[in-house]
Amino acid sequence: MITLKQSKILVTGGAGFIGSNLCETLLQQGHSVVCLDNFSTGKPENITPFLENKNFKLIVGDIRKLEDCQKAVDGVDYVLHEAALGSVPRSIKDPITTNDVNVSGFLNMLVAARDAGVKRFVYAASSSTYGDSASLPKVEDVIGKPLSPYAITKYVNELYADVFSRTYNIECVGLRYFNVFGRRQDPNGAYAAVIPLFVKQLINHESPVINGDGEYSRDFTYIKNVIQMNLLALSTTKTEAVNTVYNTAYGERTTLNQLTGYLKEFLGVYDPEILNVEIKHGPNRLGDIPHSLASIYKAKELLGYDPTYSMREGLKEAVEWYWTNLK
Ligand SMILES: NC(=O)c1ccc[n+]([C@@H]2O[C@H](COP(=O)([O-])OP(=O)(O)OC[C@H]3O[C@@H](n4cnc5c(N)ncnc54)[C@H](O)[C@@H]3O)[C@@H](O)[C@H]2O)c1
């Protein structure tokens, strides 16, 4: 159990997948939680259960507006900055909006947090920062060239956080998330992540389409491990553990072919017909790297990270949640 003194914590993007899971855990631990969200990709139903909790406050606002950020950080001890426009293909289609939200919005939040004197600013970075680097596993200080506008924005976040920590003494910790999955991740829309999309399709007996031959691999990371990393980043008292970035992953890779096999196995328990749904293959996707695998050594050493959920354990829980909530 990670202990953090009762605090007031701002979760930006708190109505989204990762943000709403963070809000839930923080409320369970008795913290005061402020959620700033504009519901562009997040959903009101993700936070509906929290609205009756007296420790939860929702601010509907946009991180592209400095005054919304200032309002949200008022009296806050810590910030967990999750708000951003995710998805590589979205950023390829509309780099300007992605940049506005992910870079200008990020800078607004940093300025607001600095001016409000928050104790620490923990933010969602991304494995996309490894870009075209072919080395495996990915180690924090060896990165390549970004392969998409989204990847640029997430790398710029790290650069800004580093400069702010040096220049203004605000403590920042970046968490490079690797393909996070779990309850409440949106299965709908053009930019849905692969796991919720495939789960929804399999439940509906539709064929998932893998981009490429299915041998590309990812370090799929269950949300509960990501929550642990956020709590560790908030609570660490080691000076050498802040003002840096961490891979946030499980540390194993799974191919897309393995993933669809596991999904069929776990969903087939509820509906054996799913075992007969055909998996199809399409062309490789622009901006995709073949393999992604994190070294989690740094997080283990400096933060004491101990991921409790393997990919399969997490997937089983996530599938159970989707089966109950999508059926
Ligand atoms: N899910 C992953 O696998 C993954 C991987 C790497 C990094 N990340 C990063 O983690 C963070 C959370 O991702 P997620 O998967 O929960 O996505 P999500 O889309 O579910 O959540 C993002 C939230 O931010 C909100 N938001 C977007 N633009 C906003 C704005 N201008 N003002 C206020 N709120 C705004 C959205 O409404 C949404 O609630 C993002 O920063 C994302 O880039 C996610």
Side-chain angles (χ1 to χ4, degrees):
M1 172 84 172
I2 302 146
T3 46
L4 180 69
K5 211 169 113 249
Q6 297 288 287
S7 305
K8 186 172 173 183
I9 302 166
L10 167 62
V11 182
T12 70
F17 157 48
I18 297 173
S20 66
N21 279 285
L22 289 169
C23 288
E24 186 175 34
T25 299
L26 294 171
L27 289 169
Q28 280 163 358
Q29 296 191 351
H31 299 292
S32 267
V33 175
V34 180
C35 163
L36 171 65
D37 207 296
N38 70 350
F39 296 112
S40 57
T41 58
K43 292 187 280 183
E45 58 264 36
N46 286 346
I47 53 167
T48 311
F50 316 147
L51 292 173
E52 56 200 33
N53 188 324
K54 64 174 177 22
N55 287 332
F56 184 77
K57 181 179 170 190
L58 169 66
I59 296 178
V60 180
D62 196 313
I63 56 167
R64 286 169 292 185
K65 293 188 190 144
L66 180 60
E67 59 274 25
D68 288 356
C69 302
Q70 287 165 331
K71 196 171 142 195
V73 292
D74 186 39
V76 152
D77 299 302
Y78 299 102
V79 175
L80 294 179
H81 179 58
E82 308 301 313
L85 284 178
S87 162
V88 163
R90 187 207 314 270
S91 77
I92 290 173
K93 187 149 185 255
D94 181 2
I96 292 179
T97 310
T98 295
N99 192 81
D100 283 348
V101 175
N102 295 10
V103 177
S104 301
F106 185 88
L107 183 57
N108 284 337
M109 275 307 308
L110 263 183
V111 167
R114 177 202 65 186
D115 293 348
V118 304
K119 292 183 188 143
R120 193 168 293 163
F121 186 91
V122 176
Y123 63 95
S126 167
S127 60
S128 63
T129 292
Y130 289 104
D132 67 358
S133 160
S135 65
L136 283 183
K138 308 292 183 197
V139 178
E140 282 82 350
D141 51 10
V142 184
I143 61 169
K145 275 191 182 167
L147 291 172
S148 67
Y150 172 74
I152 294 177
T153 68
K154 287 289 167 178
Y155 183 46
V156 171
N157 289 177
E158 295 186 9
L159 297 174
Y160 264 124
D162 188 49
V163 165
F164 266 58
S165 63
R166 289 168 197 271
T167 312
Y168 306 112
N169 265 330
I170 171 171
E171 288 188 355
C172 297
V173 181
L175 302 179
R176 282 185 192 158
Y177 297 156
F178 280 67
N179 293 78
V180 187
F181 69 95
R183 51 158 59 196
R184 291 198 284 271
Q185 190 173 29
D186 195 352
N188 299 305
Y191 304 118
V194 64
I195 290 182
L197 175 67
F198 283 6
V199 169
K200 186 187 81 174
Q201 289 170 330
L202 286 169
I203 286 177
N204 294 329
H205 297 177
E206 293 163 7
S207 287
V209 181
I210 294 177
N211 302 313
D213 67 3
E215 287 307 301
Y216 276 20
S217 62
R218 295 288 178 265
D219 197 333
F220 292 105
T221 306
Y222 190 49
I223 184 68
K224 289 190 180 167
N225 297 330
V226 171
I227 293 171
Q228 183 192 142
M229 275 296 284
N230 275 274
L231 294 174
L232 289 167
L234 282 181
S235 57
T236 184
T237 52
K238 292 186 195 161
T239 40
E240 68 273 24
V242 294
N243 302 330
T244 189
V245 294
Y246 293 96
N247 288 341
T248 298
Y250 183 65
E252 276 178 20
R253 66 192 168 105
T254 304
T255 67
L256 271 294
N257 288 330
Q258 285 173 318
L259 170 69
T260 48
Y262 296 156
L263 288 176
K264 279 185 159 191
E265 177 190 336
F266 295 145
L267 283 164
V269 172
Y270 302 101
D271 173 4
E273 271 189 50
I274 290 175
L275 297 170
N276 303 322
V277 176
E278 189 195 352
I279 307 294
K280 294 186 174 162
H281 293 265
N284 280 325
R285 208 174 57 166
L286 205 64
D288 266 353
I289 50 161
H291 303 290
S292 183
L293 168 68
S295 159
I296 54 170
Y297 178 80
K298 183 174 173 184
K300 283 183 165 176
E301 283 297 296
L302 285 176
L303 294 176
Y305 174 53
D306 180 19
T308 41
Y309 282 79
S310 68
M311 151 77 178
R312 275 177 61 87
E313 284 165 334
L315 201 60
K316 212 172 189 172
E317 266 198 19
V319 160
E320 189 183 345
W321 185 87
Y322 281 113
W323 182 260
T324 316
N325 287 274
L326 285 188
K327 267 311 268 182

